[in-house]
Amino acid sequence: MLWIFGYVTHSLKNHNSVHLIALDFSKAFDTVRHSTFAAKIASFPICDNVYNWIINFLSDRQHQTKANGCFSEFQHIRASFVQGSEMGPVAYPLNRPEQ
């Protein structure tokens, strides 16, 4: 963001106007907090063992990134769902705020 501000400021010194197109992808990467999701599904009429399985699935999740043969340290994940998991498509609509 700072780079864009500097570029626009510099461009305005040399030109009368600057065209800037800003795209907001924030909704494309919505996150579902595990704690919020767990609290919400606790009110659903599901079996205890299914609820416990979901909570276990969300507990102590970690992520590691590999780039150019180097691995990052493991980081704990407290939000979002693993891409391609069956939980993701269900979690996002269920986690929407009440209307």
Side-chain angles (χ1 to χ4, degrees):
M1 190 61 136
L2 190 57
W3 179 87
I4 292 173
F5 179 74
Y7 182 80
V8 169
T9 303
H10 176 75
S11 296
L12 285 172
K13 289 179 182 178
N14 300 318
H15 305 284
N16 291 332
S17 65
V18 174
H19 294 275
L20 176 67
I21 298 173
L23 303 174
D24 181 5
F25 289 105
S26 61
K27 286 294 179 190
F29 300 101
D30 273 352
T31 57
V32 175
R33 295 217 171 276
H34 295 170
S35 58
T36 305
F37 182 70
K40 184 166 270 194
I41 64 169
S43 66
F44 294 164
I46 58 176
C47 300
D48 287 346
N49 60 337
V50 173
Y51 175 80
N52 291 337
W53 178 86
I54 293 170
I55 297 306
N56 188 319
F57 177 81
L58 298 176
S59 298
D60 201 29
R61 304 293 297 180
Q62 295 184 354
H63 175 79
Q64 182 181 51
T65 300
K66 177 183 176 185
N68 296 325
C70 297
F71 291 88
S72 70
E73 296 292 324
F74 279 100
Q75 297 293 318
H76 288 279
I77 300 172
R78 293 177 183 85
S80 198
F81 289 86
V82 177
Q83 185 177 2
S85 73
E86 297 299 323
M87 293 294 297
V90 174
Y92 289 99
L94 290 179
N95 203 56
R96 288 188 3 220
E98 300 293 327
Q99 299 197 5

